[in-house]
Amino acid sequence: GIYFSLVCSGAAHVCVLDGSNTHRIMYIKGTGGGTITLSGIHFKDGYQDEGGGLYILSAIVSFKGCKLSSNQATNEGGGIYTMESGTTVNLYMTTFVGNSATSNGNDINVGSNSVVTVYSNCPPDWSG
């Protein structure tokens, strides 16, 4: 499986991935049972038909202390769009601000057979 972490060190949300209102910020597909961890990152101004900020397909992804703002989808999932069995998304202290979708899920659209869990605090092993 695929395992990696993308961590922003320093103040929260100082690392910005910007879609410039023209394209999706990140597409994550098939981690093969591994987990991708995204920490302290600000995903903003993404634009796409589904998943303006991120499109997650058959993958396991954990967001820790991230922010998704002003992402747009012309269909579903302004901030995040998930799809397919095997897709698991864990949201730890992650905020959504001003995301929009024309059809469903301004902040997140949970597609078929996907699992999304929202936590109000971070896991014990998280230090930043």
Side-chain angles (χ1 to χ4, degrees):
I2 297 171
Y3 300 84
F4 79 83
S5 294
L6 182 59
V7 179
C8 179
S9 42
H13 313 136
V14 78
C15 298
V16 177
L17 297 179
D18 191 332
S20 301
N21 291 312
T22 59
H23 58 277
R24 178 184 296 126
I25 298 167
M26 192 175 285
Y27 179 81
I28 301 172
K29 179 180 178 184
T31 57
T35 301
I36 292 175
T37 303
L38 305 167
S39 300
I41 300 166
H42 184 179
F43 299 88
K44 70 175 237 170
D45 295 332
Y47 181 86
Q48 192 59 261
D49 60 338
E50 295 174 325
L54 295 98
Y55 190 112
I56 303 171
L57 174 68
S58 299
I60 302 170
V61 181
S62 291
F63 292 83
K64 297 178 180 179
C66 290
K67 180 178 181 179
L68 289 92
S69 70
S70 302
N71 296 291
Q72 301 175 54
T74 58
N75 192 15
E76 299 177 319
I80 300 171
Y81 182 87
T82 68
M83 192 59 151
E84 298 292 329
S85 61
T87 300
T88 300
V89 175
N90 297 301
L91 300 166
Y92 299 96
M93 296 185 68
T94 292
T95 58
F96 294 83
V97 179
N99 300 293
S100 63
T102 304
S103 183
N104 295 311
N106 287 332
D107 292 323
I108 186 165
N109 187 79
V110 182
S112 63
N113 301 313
S114 298
V115 176
V116 175
T117 307
V118 178
Y119 300 90
S120 60
N121 53 20
C122 285
D125 65 338
W126 188 51
S127 62

